[in-house]
Amino acid sequence: MLDQGAAPPVDDSTVRKTSGLSALTRRKPVESLVEEGGQGEGGTLRRSLSMWQLTMISIGATLGTGIFVVLGDAVPKAGPAVTLAFVIAGLTALFSALSYAELAGSIPVAGSSYSYAYATMGELVAWVCGWCLVLEYGVSVAAVAVGWGEYLNELLDGTIGVTIPDVLSSAPGEGGVINLPGLIVVLLAMVFLLGGARESAVANTIMVAVKIAALVLFCAIGFMGFKSGNYKDFMPLGITGVGAASATLFFSYIGFDAASTAGEEAKNPKRDLPRAIMLSLIIVTVFYVLVAAVAVGAWHWKAFEGSEATLAAIMNDVTGQTFWGTLLAAGAVISIASVVLTVLYGQTRILFAMSRDGLVPKAFGKVSAKTGTPRVNTVIVSLFCAALASVIPLGKLVDATSIGTLFAFALVNIAVIVLRYTRPDMPRTFKVVFGPLFPILGFGFCAYNMFSLDSVTWVVFGCWMAAGLVFYFLYGMRRSRLATAATAASAEK
């Protein structure tokens, strides 16, 4: 094992790539990534997560706001064909999940696609991927937290007859001053994470069970109000509408890769990570398609326009009572909170890996000897996400999260092909079938969904990437552990 804080091994090729444009392509050896797994400043992450807990982390990070909240935004774009949009988004996730599974079994570390890119395509691409993951996970936490507030109000209205006023539950520009529920749920998740990874995983497993029960309840009751006529005009806005809905609904699949961020806390990562990723995606996709089909069958697609807490509203409409909608809202409040918890967890572990490589400040890599968690990292990330959730509307957060995720997923598909070519004999506990075909399809689906997003989202993404590149060239490029180790090696010659 490497000493804590020690630089990774540097081979001669790394030493030669220390200046100019060649420095941007320096790669971190797979063996170094794996060998220093779990090590941080002042402590080590604890390996305590089983395959079942890893699966629950991915389900917890995926199954939530996408179906409880974003469905109401997607149906007006695609009509009843929203079920087809879910399938397209699911295929995009599936091909990328296969690539994630192969890489997670080969490189079981906390950095997820950031680490995979570092081992295959070099430091600059790895930084870009890591920066996209900050957008995926960090902004996703904020988006999920905003959706949580909508169901909290539904629950409060159905139980005690009051709701949090718009001024305290909506973002500026949407009739409010601050989204207090969004702020609170992120801070609550922070408290759980500070207690330890195993304790957080147990809490998440309980919350996942609640959310699955809530969705099964919705399907059972919603089916009683099913009207086949609601499917008569299946694709009212054409294939363009389906594409736009698919790009929005891809947000619903964000999180299946969360298990890959737990690579340094899994008991048997090479075996369990691929299984957890694939199993979680299958379970989530089945629920998404089933719930969407029942929802559109119970409500005419035009009724979804402007709706909040959509599934609870459908249950109230079908039964003519508020009890069932309130019960679903209670389940949604608990289940969406699990998304906040697990996605926030993933973000902290990605920054932990980037800090260990020297690309972000050391504070993100400090590990508490008492809890085995990166506590300072967790507090900083939580406060940032809480601030976003309190002031930015849900729709803006969803699309920004989707484009960052799609870009990172596209890079993962490329990384599989590159690693197959550069390290064909490396042991792999899971291997994508049909050679490079599926990774190529995964890349193509990601590109299709990215270009289905509107121009404003692209502008935001461009600004985000520009800011990231400025940070890299001013900070990360010079402080990279590969750069400092290579410089030291050159000085000794």
Side-chain angles (χ1 to χ4, degrees), residues 198-377:
R198 184 176 181 278
E199 292 76 9
S200 299
V202 171
N204 172 67
T205 299
I206 294 171
M207 290 189 281
V208 168
V210 171
K211 79 170 70 180
I212 289 177
L215 291 175
V216 170
L217 176 65
F218 169 80
C219 291
I221 293 179
F223 190 75
M224 293 190 299
F226 193 92
K227 303 179 184 67
S228 59
N230 287 341
Y231 278 91
K232 186 171 295 184
D233 188 10
F234 184 69
M235 200 181 295
L237 302 176
I239 193 65
T240 302
V242 174
S246 173
T248 296
L249 288 173
F250 186 76
F251 175 82
S252 305
Y253 289 92
I254 292 173
F256 74 80
D257 56 321
S260 67
T261 67
E264 296 173 23
E265 291 161 284
K267 293 178 181 178
N268 190 345
K270 287 182 176 291
R271 182 197 69 186
D272 293 342
L273 289 178
R275 295 180 180 182
I277 290 171
M278 297 309 302
L279 181 59
S280 64
L281 183 62
I282 292 170
I283 293 172
V284 166
T285 301
V286 169
F287 271 103
Y288 279 166
V289 174
L290 183 61
V291 171
V294 172
V296 174
W299 260 15
H300 190 274
W301 68 273
K302 291 183 179 179
F304 286 81
E305 184 74 45
S307 64
E308 292 187 357
T310 306
L311 300 189
I314 291 174
M315 291 183 74
N316 288 339
D317 187 51
V318 169
T319 62
Q321 303 174 13
T322 60
F323 170 78
W324 295 107
T326 301
L327 186 61
L328 182 78
V333 166
I334 296 172
S335 62
I336 296 175
S338 77
V339 182
V340 176
L341 176 68
T342 49
V343 175
L344 191 62
Y345 166 85
Q347 176 66 95
T348 60
R349 271 43 179 189
I350 290 165
L351 286 171
F352 170 82
M354 295 176 74
S355 174
R356 186 170 56 204
D357 293 331
L359 298 182
V360 298
K362 290 183 177 180
F364 291 98
K366 292 182 178 179
V367 176
S368 167
K370 181 179 179 181
T371 63
T373 60
R375 304 191 73 173
V376 175
N377 178 344

Side-chain angles (χ1 to χ4, degrees), residues 83-127:
T83 52
L84 178 60
F86 263 119
V87 172
I88 293 174
L91 283 173
T92 304
L94 172 62
F95 289 122
S96 295
L98 291 169
S99 294
Y100 261 101
E102 177 169 327
L103 292 173
S106 305
I107 314 174
V109 292
S112 186
S113 52
Y114 153 76
S115 295
Y116 309 152
Y118 213 162
T120 57
M121 292 177 281
E123 188 171 281
L124 178 61
V125 177
W127 169 262

Side-chain angles (χ1 to χ4, degrees), residues 41-111:
E41 293 285 334
T44 304
L45 299 178
R46 297 173 182 171
R47 292 195 178 276
S48 59
L49 302 178
S50 65
M51 195 275 284
W52 176 249
Q53 289 173 319
L54 292 169
T55 303
M56 291 299 102
I57 286 175
S58 282
I59 294 177
T62 311
L63 191 62
T65 306
I67 195 66
F68 282 110
V69 180
V70 178
L71 179 66
D73 295 328
V75 173
K77 297 178 181 179
V82 69
T83 52
L84 178 60
F86 263 119
V87 172
I88 293 174
L91 283 173
T92 304
L94 172 62
F95 289 122
S96 295
L98 291 169
S99 294
Y100 261 101
E102 177 169 327
L103 292 173
S106 305
I107 314 174
V109 292

Side-chain angles (χ1 to χ4, degrees), residues 439-456:
I440 290 172
L441 287 173
F443 178 86
F445 272 104
C446 288
Y448 169 77
N449 278 281
M450 285 182 72
F451 286 107
S452 295
L453 293 167
D454 60 38
S455 58
V456 174

